Amino acid sequence: MSSAILAVTQMKVRDNRDMHLYPRGKKRFTPLGILFFSAFAVSTMIGLLIENLEKLFGSSDEEERRDLLRRVFEEQPRLRGGLADDQLEKLISSYGEEESGGMEGPLVCLLLACIIIKSGLLAFCLYAARRGESEIARTVAMDHRNDILGNSLVLLVVGGSVWCQNRNKGGEWLEKVDPASSLLLALYVLTCWLQTAAEQLRVLSDRRAEEEHAEAVVNFASGRLTNSGLHLVEASTYHIGEGYAAKLELEPDVSCHKTHSQVAEILDNLEKNMLSSNLEVMEVHARLRPSQKGADDMSWSAEYKR
């Protein structure tokens, strides 16, 4: 299910057939897909938390069956057949163990195979994320990492339980090891996905871009405006999905005598150059700041609309 969610998201992002319907690009699809997957993972982990809490602090079905057997032998002493108390307790304790007996070997082999496969997938996703700078690949890599941790924990618990049983060690606490370890793992995975969801919410909230990127946008715009008769007054850069949007406010130089069409061409070229640059800018809104001068000195810029 998790792979399907992210695969559909990636296919939608890479589909160029309907780009005319998305004039601002599809950069928001990636954080939306990751956020949807995070919600799915969080709900799954919450279900595991509730289930393991019930196992830890509630009585299991197997324990209820054993209590029922004890009451039967207490009410019908003839059924004991001359068994001593310790022999009877050992018989009751072994009740139901034959149902899962002999499955440890195949289980360990399956877990080892899963860990090996997931390790290969984790390495590939980390490589793809580094080469393609893909958030989808990073998210899948984190999912594989959690699977490796979970399977390793199960392998450790199964091996430890079998070792204790073969040496007649442990007791009632041994039955609590599995839900306790699962509870801790579910808490860890839940924390990871909550952090991922919070990151995607920040990406989708149009928050201000990092100082380095904002400075790069200012330097790029200032460089393109050299000798154009206009200069940059204010620049606001903020996140939109995986990309950025830039809002630029310009003012004419004192010696500027550009016509309406010349100024419009300068603004259009600035927007096109910034969109085609490597600044990951998806939207550019460049406009002239309203002039405070006379009506015959660039006052028309207040009416200029993009």
Side-chain angles (χ1 to χ4, degrees):
M1 178 62 70
S2 61
S3 298
I5 292 172
L6 296 180
V8 170
T9 301
Q10 183 69 10
M11 286 178 2
K12 187 64 177 175
V13 171
R14 298 184 62 181
D15 186 7
N16 294 323
R17 293 173 297 178
D18 56 352
M19 288 303 294
H20 62 285
L21 298 176
Y22 300 91
R24 298 182 178 180
K26 298 182 177 181
K27 293 291 188 178
R28 290 184 186 270
F29 276 111
T30 296
L32 279 174
I34 296 175
L35 184 62
F36 183 79
F37 171 66
S38 299
F40 169 77
V42 167
S43 63
T44 303
M45 291 302 106
I46 291 176
L48 285 176
L49 286 175
I50 296 174
E51 180 181 347
N52 288 303
L53 285 173
E54 291 176 347
K55 291 181 179 179
L56 276 175
F57 301 104
S59 58
S60 63
D61 294 338
E62 185 176 348
E63 187 62 32
E64 291 178 356
R65 290 194 296 267
R66 290 176 182 175
D67 291 338
L68 179 59
L69 282 176
R70 292 187 182 96
R71 288 198 299 270
V72 169
F73 282 115
E74 289 175 0
E75 296 174 0
Q76 302 292 333
R78 290 178 298 177
L79 296 177
R80 297 172 62 113
L83 292 174
D85 291 341
D86 57 340
Q87 294 175 327
L88 181 61
E89 186 61 31
K90 184 176 181 180
L91 176 64
I92 295 175
S93 299
S94 63
Y95 175 76
E97 290 183 356
E98 66 277 6
E99 298 177 3
S100 59
M103 291 299 295
E104 290 81 4
L107 177 60
V108 170
C109 293
L110 286 174
L111 288 172
L112 286 174
C114 188
I115 291 173
I116 293 173
I117 294 173
K118 285 287 185 178
S119 299
L121 293 173
L122 174 61
F124 176 77
C125 287
L126 291 175
Y127 171 78
R130 185 173 60 254
R131 286 290 301 271
E133 297 183 357
S134 171
E135 287 298 324
I136 292 287
R138 291 189 183 93
T139 305
V140 177
M142 187 170 70
D143 190 38
H144 290 322
R145 183 199 65 190
N146 292 337
D147 286 342
I148 293 173
L149 291 175
N151 292 325
S152 301
L153 179 62
V154 173
L155 186 61
L156 181 63
V157 170
V158 169
S161 299
V162 171
W163 184 86
C164 292
Q165 291 174 359
N166 292 338
R167 288 160 178 76
N168 294 323
K169 296 184 178 181
E172 294 184 358
W173 64 268
L174 189 60
E175 299 178 359
K176 304 295 184 180
V177 173
D178 187 1
S181 55
S182 298
L183 179 67
L184 293 176
L185 180 63
L187 281 173
Y188 170 76
V189 176
L190 176 64
T191 303
C192 291
W193 285 119
L194 285 175
Q195 292 175 348
T196 300
E199 292 174 0
Q200 303 311 312
L201 285 174
R202 285 196 298 269
V203 170
L204 291 170
S205 62
D206 292 350
R207 65 187 176 94
R208 189 176 296 276
E210 295 77 10
E211 183 177 351
E212 305 81 36
H213 195 279
E215 184 178 351
V217 169
V218 171
N219 293 336
F220 183 90
S222 300
R224 289 296 185 277
L225 291 173
T226 303
N227 300 325
S228 66
L230 304 175
H231 62 272
L232 183 65
V233 178
E234 184 179 355
S236 300
T237 308
Y238 50 92
H239 289 266
I240 50 170
E242 285 190 303
Y244 299 89
K247 181 179 179 181
L248 309 176
E249 290 197 5
L250 314 176
E251 277 186 351
D253 296 336
V254 176
S255 58
C256 178
H257 300 285
K258 301 286 185 182
T259 64
H260 296 202
S261 59
Q262 289 175 330
V263 172
E265 184 178 0
I266 293 174
L267 296 179
D268 286 338
N269 290 334
L270 177 61
E271 292 182 354
K272 291 177 181 178
N273 291 333
M274 187 165 289
L275 289 172
S276 61
S277 67
N278 59 354
L279 294 175
E280 300 181 16
V281 175
M282 296 165 47
E283 297 180 22
V284 183
H285 306 283
R287 70 184 185 92
L288 286 177
R289 174 172 289 184
S291 176
Q292 302 297 325
K293 298 184 179 181
D296 56 348
D297 188 5
M298 301 296 290
S299 60
W300 58 268
S301 62
E303 306 298 327
Y304 185 84
K305 303 294 184 184
R306 292 300 304 154

